[in-house]
């Protein structure tokens, strides 16, 4: 996977979705759709798919996944990363591991704590935790010093 380039407006839209669900006490997952460029993957759109969510879980139905695949094919996009919220600290739970949408080596999964209520676009990179899927199918948290190798927000 290449470096993901995300614009400030996409962070704002992502946080809006996470906060809305959090106000109801639910986690939320948002997908970043992107296109491969010469320098990496450029985020083109933010998608909050229909999902089943609770205080500590989110799932996307097979029917919704088929819709997402159709959108990706129509635009020539890929799922560049998934971003989801947690009610408290940011970490990758067993449920997150099981229900992750992105499943390829080096896939990125970002977790935002406190249902994004305390996170702004300016604090996003400091507040969230970034996880990368290893070749062994394990989610490994990236150290702060590693994140810039995989993710850039402008």
């Amino acid at each position: 996977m290449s470096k993901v380039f995300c614009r400030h407006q996409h962070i704002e839209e992502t946080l809006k979705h996470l906060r809305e669900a959090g106000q109801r006490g639910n986690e939320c997952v948002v997908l970043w759709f992107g296109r491969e460029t010469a320098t990496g993957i450029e985020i083109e759109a933010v998608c909050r798919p229909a999902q089943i969510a609770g205080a500590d879980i989110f799932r996307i139905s097979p029917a919704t996944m088929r819709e997402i695949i159709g959108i990706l094919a129509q635009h020539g996009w890929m799922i560049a990363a998934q971003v989801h919220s947690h009610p408290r600290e940011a970490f990758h739970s067993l449920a997150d591991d099981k229900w992750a949408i992105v499943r390829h080596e080096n896939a990125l999964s970002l977790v935002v704590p406190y249902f994004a209520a305390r996170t702004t676009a300016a604090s996003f990179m400091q507040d969230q935790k970034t996880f990368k899927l290893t070749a062994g199918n394990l989610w490994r948290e990236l150290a702060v010093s590693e994140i810039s190798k995989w993710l850039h927000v402008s």
Side-chain angles (χ1 to χ4, degrees):
M1 170 125 175
S2 302
K3 187 171 188 172
V4 173
F5 293 89
C6 185
R7 291 187 294 279
H8 184 84
Q9 69 193 44
H10 294 128
I11 300 296
E12 297 229 358
E13 185 178 351
T14 297
L15 292 173
K16 176 180 169 256
H17 291 308
L18 299 180
R19 281 190 210 108
E20 286 173 355
Q23 288 171 350
R24 294 186 305 279
N26 293 329
E27 286 191 6
C28 179
V29 65
V30 173
L31 304 176
W32 289 352
F33 294 164
R35 183 181 319 277
E36 189 81 44
T37 68
T39 57
I41 300 170
E42 191 73 38
I43 300 304
E44 301 275 338
V46 171
C47 173
R48 179 186 180 181
Q51 55 198 268
I52 300 158
D56 60 355
I57 192 167
F58 66 85
R59 285 185 299 156
I60 296 178
S61 73
T64 299
M65 282 306 301
R66 285 190 294 276
E67 289 175 20
I68 291 168
I69 290 167
I71 292 167
L72 296 173
Q74 178 183 1
H75 295 281
W77 292 340
M78 63 182 0
I79 299 175
Q82 68 179 42
V83 185
H84 75 279
S85 57
H86 271 198
R88 291 181 188 77
E89 297 81 23
F91 65 98
H92 222 266
S93 69
L94 293 176
D96 297 341
D97 293 352
K98 180 177 181 178
W99 295 106
I101 292 102
V102 288
R103 302 298 317 181
H104 57 277
E105 184 178 357
N106 293 325
L108 296 181
S109 179
L110 287 68
V111 185
V112 182
Y114 305 106
F115 293 138
R118 302 176 183 181
T119 301
T120 65
S123 71
F124 178 80
M125 290 301 286
Q126 293 77 35
D127 293 351
Q128 63 84 32
K129 302 284 185 191
T130 303
F131 297 84
K132 183 171 71 80
L133 192 64
T134 68
N137 201 37
L138 299 173
W139 289 100
R140 181 179 73 80
E141 183 176 353
L142 295 179
V144 173
S145 61
E146 293 178 283
I147 294 173
S148 63
K149 176 182 175 184
W150 297 97
L151 178 63
H152 176 78
V153 176
S154 60

